[in-house]
Amino acid sequence: MKSNEWLHGFRHSSPYINAHRGRTVVLTIGGDAIAHDNLINIIHDIALLSSLGIRLVVAFGARPQIQSRLDAANEESTFHRGLRVTPEQQLTPVLEAIGGLRAYLESQLSMGLVNSPMHNARIRVSSGNYVTARPVGVLDGIDFGYTGQVRRVDVAGIEKLLELGHIVLLPPLGYSPTGDAFNLSYEDVGSQVAAALQAEKLIMFAENQGLLDENAGLIRELSARQASDRLAAGMVQGHDGDLLRAACDACVKGVRRAHIISYVDDGALLEELFTRDGAGTLVSGDNYEQIRQARVEDIGGILGLIQPLEEQGILVRRSREMLETEISRFVVAERDGTIVGCAALYHYPDEGAGELSCFAVDQAYRRAGRGDDILAMVEKLARGQGIQRLFVLTTQTEHWFRERGFQPSTVRELPGPKLASYNTQRNSKVFVKALSQTG
């Protein structure tokens, strides 16, 4: 007797098809997945999703392909804190590897052979400069060169393409207003684009079925808070940690669900979207803000926020005693009873200057405008104190401050007391912003 299992499954997928039609889904596909034999099936499934009316953005990676190019050119690879250092002389092979993969993926999505799942698909694929980036900068004294981080997403540009029914293909590249190209983490691109678009889902391909527990069993579901706790406890590391971190970041910023599925298992994408149990690990957003003057009871939260950055050498160390005496200088961003951002303002009245210092935002809450809100609060306070120029010392966030009106300056231009205490070993860069008293 003929089996009708396919018919049963097809009928029961109808509610999921209806639920996803017209929704935005962001997929991330790493270079390992692109090199795997199962890629052709993933391509077929992407074509099917597009034909069902799902708005698709595909962010892809190219790590093994970049490594292959660099090996062929006898270029040594350097990694620090899990990131590739991209010096200027290696930028060309990086761009070549990424460009080659982009062309390859476009060609695969353009197939239309008779008797294939792609027949008559006529998929339109668009790519472009939709991600603005900034350099990672200097970490632990190491200049990361042309390795960057997502700074801004051209939401309007991507939305226009999605409305036209295009699949938007995003490489692990970002561009700056200065005309530079930066090598990005594709997980970061996918997560930040999903958040900016307020996508329904972020789906990330991994080698394993999903996230595995300590007994190699599949973790079916985690809340963003549970996932963050596992990361903080060091229970998830390596590439799985990168994926889970990206999932948490997206969910915290408004993406309803993030999924980690296997690029090895045929049909994992369809199973995750169109069946009740799914195929991988689901990370769901937690439904839980204010910028205000800090209080003494905030000191514990501020310490918890800045100590990891102090240990990394990003911020100058501050003791609890120092915070207690200087707490009136601080502002904080509070979310659901947790301090997720802070900054301090130090006044040098003899020179009409103020220093923006100890500026930090929890990693899980970055790129959602909180930094801008904190900066606006500090500038308001500075104007109220008659401060005419605001300066900041930074080793990594040069582009962020320049984008917000800060101009390069020199150490010699620092107020006398600050110049006397300047740490030459940190080699921080100085930026200054003139403050209009009208706001």
Side-chain angles (χ1 to χ4, degrees):
M1 186 175 180
K2 186 176 180 181
S3 172
N4 286 329
E5 287 185 9
W6 70 271
L7 182 59
H8 176 81
F10 190 60
R11 284 175 175 163
H12 281 77
S13 69
S14 179
Y16 301 99
I17 293 174
N18 293 329
H20 292 120
R21 184 179 294 112
R23 305 289 187 176
T24 300
V25 173
V26 177
L27 307 175
T28 68
I29 304 177
D32 290 328
I34 295 173
H36 196 272
D37 291 341
N38 194 48
L39 176 69
I40 187 61
N41 294 317
I42 295 174
I43 293 292
H44 292 164
D45 293 344
I46 290 174
L48 176 58
L49 297 185
S50 179
S51 70
L52 292 173
I54 298 176
R55 295 151 45 102
L56 294 173
V57 178
V58 180
F60 71 89
R63 288 173 190 146
Q65 292 81 5
I66 289 173
Q67 188 61 54
S68 179
R69 291 264 182 172
L70 293 177
D71 290 343
N74 292 319
E75 288 281 351
E76 183 178 352
S77 294
T78 302
F79 296 87
H80 186 63
R81 297 195 187 181
L83 293 174
R84 177 185 293 279
V85 177
T86 311
E88 185 173 6
Q89 72 270 17
Q90 293 186 2
L91 187 58
T92 295
V94 167
L95 294 176
E96 289 174 347
I98 294 171
L101 279 192
R102 175 160 55 187
Y104 175 70
L105 288 173
E106 288 176 350
S107 70
Q108 296 302 293
L109 288 166
S110 300
M111 289 190 300
L113 295 175
V114 175
N115 297 327
S116 81
M118 302 285 286
H119 184 51
N120 286 330
R122 295 188 177 90
I123 292 174
R124 291 179 175 85
V125 182
S126 295
S127 188
N129 59 337
Y130 299 109
V131 175
T132 301
R134 70 166 181 87
V136 168
V138 180
L139 285 172
D140 303 328
I142 296 176
D143 187 346
F144 276 73
Y146 287 87
T147 297
Q149 294 178 330
V150 176
R151 226 174 73 197
R152 188 171 58 249
V153 177
D154 181 3
V155 173
I158 294 175
E159 286 284 358
K160 186 173 292 186
L161 293 172
L162 294 175
E163 289 169 6
L164 293 172
H166 293 210
I167 292 178
V168 180
L169 185 64
L170 298 178
L173 289 175
Y175 306 92
S176 74
T178 59
D180 293 315
F182 292 98
N183 180 19
L184 307 181
S185 154
Y186 79 92
E187 298 96 341
D188 190 38
V189 172
S191 178
Q192 301 313 316
V193 168
L197 295 174
Q198 289 295 279
E200 180 77 7
K201 292 179 183 291
L202 168 65
I203 300 178
M204 298 174 288
F205 285 96
E207 184 175 8
N208 294 322
Q209 186 180 358
L211 289 179
L212 306 181
D213 61 23
E214 50 277 9
N215 298 315
L218 176 65
I219 300 174
R220 285 286 182 180
E221 185 171 350
L222 291 169
S223 70
R225 185 167 298 179
Q226 289 171 329
S228 181
D229 289 344
R230 294 182 75 88
L231 287 167
M235 299 172 68
V236 187
Q237 298 181 350
H239 187 229
D240 284 347
D242 295 336
L243 293 173
L244 187 57
R245 197 168 291 108
C248 286
D249 198 21
C251 289
V252 164
K253 295 173 182 175
V255 177
R256 292 186 60 194
R257 291 179 174 85
H259 307 255
I260 301 173
I261 64 174
S262 173
Y263 64 74
V264 176
D265 296 339
D266 185 14
L269 177 57
L270 301 182
E271 186 177 353
E272 183 66 20
L273 286 176
F274 300 126
T275 66
R276 178 179 298 174
D277 295 331
T281 299
L282 166 66
V283 180
S284 57
D286 295 312
N287 294 323
Y288 309 74
E289 174 173 295
Q290 60 173 327
I291 310 294
R292 57 171 175 79
Q293 287 275 177
R295 301 185 289 258
V296 173
E297 54 265 33
D298 297 323
I299 291 175
I302 294 173
L303 283 170
L305 180 65
I306 67 176
Q307 281 176 345
L309 300 176
E310 293 172 348
E311 292 170 0
Q312 296 170 33
I314 297 173
L315 292 180
V316 176
R317 289 188 179 276
R318 285 173 170 80
S319 65
R320 176 178 287 273
E321 292 74 19
M322 179 183 290
L323 285 176
E324 289 176 352
T325 60
E326 298 183 347
I327 194 65
S328 62
R329 303 178 187 270
F330 278 77
V331 298
V332 294
E334 182 186 43
R335 178 182 174 89
D336 196 29
T338 301
I339 303 302
V340 299
C342 70
L345 174 63
Y346 292 84
H347 191 183
Y348 297 86
D350 293 341
E351 303 185 55
E355 180 188 6
L356 171 61
S357 183
C358 200
F359 194 178
V361 177
D362 190 296
Q363 184 171 350
Y365 294 86
R366 292 175 190 168
R367 306 188 189 100
R370 288 176 180 82
D372 288 295
D373 292 340
I374 295 172
L375 177 59
M377 180 69 163
V378 171
E379 290 183 0
K380 180 180 178 180
L381 293 173
R383 292 188 182 95
Q385 296 177 31
I387 292 173
Q388 300 171 357
R389 60 190 181 97
L390 189 65
F391 69 89
V392 64
L393 280 69
T394 181
T395 59
Q396 300 174 47
T397 52
E398 170 184 344
H399 279 238
W400 192 90
F401 285 107
R402 292 184 68 174
E403 188 75 3
R404 287 151 181 82
F406 285 79
Q407 300 297 319
S409 186
T410 64
V411 174
R412 293 190 301 275
E413 296 300 316
L414 292 173
K418 187 64 181 179
L419 177 60
S421 63
Y422 179 79
N423 186 341
T424 57
Q425 290 186 328
R426 285 179 59 81
N427 195 27
S428 300
K429 296 180 180 180
V430 180
F431 293 89
V432 178
K433 181 177 182 178
L435 299 180
S436 63
Q437 295 308 302
T438 60

